[in-house]
């Protein structure tokens, strides 16, 4: 029976984009202004994201403690709220639509590993969160998924497949529990 051999891990097919200097600069900007609770000013954070290549719309509120990997892969449309301690793992594109709420402690993953290979190769997939979706506190979105328009992923739930529009998902793995009706 074969065994995992992390020494043989080869990440060379993956390219994060940006120069090495840009990645190092972003690391420190992220630590000082985003992950820190000492800097609550949304406008300046949005400007910093744009300087590093993110596409950021109007009235985007990033609360303290947000961790963003490689912002040049990030698109955030208008009127978006991103809560405290959210992690957006932008190894590849993450696209967040208009009027989206991502609650405290939520995690958006764009990468994982192929557990079937001894070398544990990296697997990536874009994440799309369509207009009006709500990602509950401490929910997890796995790589390669689309969260449909106005879908809800409830607190603590883990999305392992695409979420249909106007639907509420709950659990681990998240399953549809009912339709979302907006009155």
């Amino acid at each position: 029976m074969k065994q995992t051999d992390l020494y043989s891990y080869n990440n060379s097919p993956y390219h994060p984009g940006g120069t090495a200097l840009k990645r190092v600069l972003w690391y420190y900007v992220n630590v000082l202004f985003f992950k820190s609770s000492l800097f609550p000013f949304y406008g300046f954070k949005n400007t910093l994201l744009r300087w590093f290549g993110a596409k950021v719309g109007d009235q985007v509120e990033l609360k303290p403690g947000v961790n963003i990997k490689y912002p040049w892969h990030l698109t955030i449309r208008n009127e978006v709220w991103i809560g405290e301690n959210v992690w957006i793992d932008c190894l590849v594109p993450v696209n967040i639509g208009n009027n989206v709420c991502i609650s405290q402690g939520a995690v958006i993953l764009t990468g994982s590993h192929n557990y079937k290979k001894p070398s544990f190769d990296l697997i990536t997939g874009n994440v799309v969160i369509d207009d009006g979706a709500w990602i509950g506190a401490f929910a997890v979105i796995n790589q390669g998924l689309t969260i449909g328009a106005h879908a809800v992923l409830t607190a603590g739930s883990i999305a392992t497949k695409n979420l249909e529009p106007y639907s509420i998902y709950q659990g681990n793995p998240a399953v549809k529990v009912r339709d979302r009706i907006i009155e």
Side-chain angles (χ1 to χ4, degrees), residues 124-142:
T124 60
N126 300 357
V127 170
V128 175
I129 304 173
D130 284 334
D131 294 351
W134 176 19
I135 309 306
F138 303 101
V140 177
I141 300 171
N142 280 294

Side-chain angles (χ1 to χ4, degrees), residues 26-88:
W26 174 251
Y27 174 83
Y28 288 104
V29 167
N30 191 36
V31 167
L32 291 172
F33 297 108
F34 289 84
K35 291 172 74 172
S36 169
S37 297
L38 300 175
F39 199 83
F41 308 107
Y42 311 134
F44 185 64
K45 289 180 187 179
N46 294 341
T47 299
L48 286 171
L49 284 172
R50 289 182 189 109
W51 285 353
F52 278 89
K55 295 174 185 73
V56 181
D58 296 326
Q59 302 199 2
V60 172
E61 295 187 16
L62 291 122
K63 300 292 184 181
V66 173
N67 184 14
I68 299 170
K69 182 104 171 199
Y70 305 148
W72 43 91
H73 292 306
L74 180 61
T75 299
I76 306 172
R77 303 272 190 266
N78 300 313
E79 299 179 21
V80 172
W81 185 84
I82 300 176
E84 291 87 350
N85 302 313
V86 167
W87 180 25
I88 305 174

